[in-house]
Amino acid sequence: MTQPASTPTVEELEEQERRLVFRRFTHEDAWALGSLLVETARERQAPVAVDIHRGGQQLFHAALPGSAPDNDAWIARKRRVVERYGAASYLVGARHRAKGTTFEESSRLDPDTYAAHGGSFPIAVEGAGVIGAVTVSGLPQLQDHQLVVEALERFLAD
């Protein structure tokens, strides 16, 4: 997809969350953000599925060539981590790794229901907090995370 990047620190991941906050988030925003993710993934021939949820409602979903039903299961598991912890799924996993453990070992949550792997990022709105999640599945976890962050940066810059 892109050149390999170094693994971000917990502090760098937390900074992404502080920076990538919406003033508002509407159905139209979900469509535009999801479409931007799909366009970016198509340009890179990335075999991903893309999902955007807000308040328990799926607002956007797309499955690109090469993705599989298993990607939808990963999306649900990663999204549940964002919903439970209010933080990116990759950040939640990184916090556990920084403590010398893993999410699976220390969270006491069912790994068939929760996955602290990269690719799900909170949709945070100023004054409201986390209201949903944007999730990608199909690439190695750091690349899933980076794809979402890149799309959020581009979307919020407009």
Side-chain angles (χ1 to χ4, degrees):
M1 187 174 106
T2 59
Q3 69 271 11
S6 61
T7 302
T9 65
V10 168
E11 293 76 20
E12 290 168 331
L13 295 167
E14 290 172 342
E15 188 278 328
Q16 289 173 346
E17 289 193 2
R18 283 190 295 274
R19 190 169 40 85
L20 299 173
V21 176
F22 291 81
R23 286 195 322 267
R24 61 174 175 69
F25 192 79
T26 66
H27 287 76
E28 291 78 17
D29 294 323
W31 179 261
L33 176 59
S35 297
L36 175 61
L37 271 163
V38 167
E39 174 186 322
T40 304
R42 280 187 174 146
E43 288 169 0
R44 298 174 186 175
Q45 298 179 341
V48 299
V50 177
D51 180 88
I52 300 176
H53 265 70
R54 183 187 69 185
Q57 182 183 21
Q58 185 178 52
L59 300 182
F60 185 93
H61 184 82
L64 298 181
S67 65
D70 194 46
N71 296 118
D72 292 331
W74 274 98
I75 282 171
R77 292 168 58 216
K78 293 190 278 188
R79 186 186 72 246
R80 286 186 197 107
V81 168
V82 172
E83 292 167 348
R84 185 174 183 110
Y85 291 90
S89 55
Y90 193 75
L91 172 57
V92 172
R95 285 176 173 157
H96 283 85
R97 289 187 296 278
K99 294 176 185 175
T101 184
T102 66
F103 176 79
E104 294 79 10
E105 291 171 348
S106 59
S107 71
R108 297 180 155 201
L109 296 172
D110 181 355
D112 289 335
T113 305
Y114 295 90
H117 292 259
S120 191
F121 201 92
I123 296 170
V125 173
E126 292 174 8
V130 175
I131 62 155
V134 53
T135 311
V136 168
S137 175
L139 302 169
Q141 66 169 327
L142 179 55
Q143 290 180 15
D144 277 349
H145 175 81
Q146 290 171 328
L147 182 60
V148 172
V149 168
E150 179 185 337
L152 287 167
E153 288 172 339
R154 288 174 55 195
F155 185 85
L156 290 168
D158 289 340

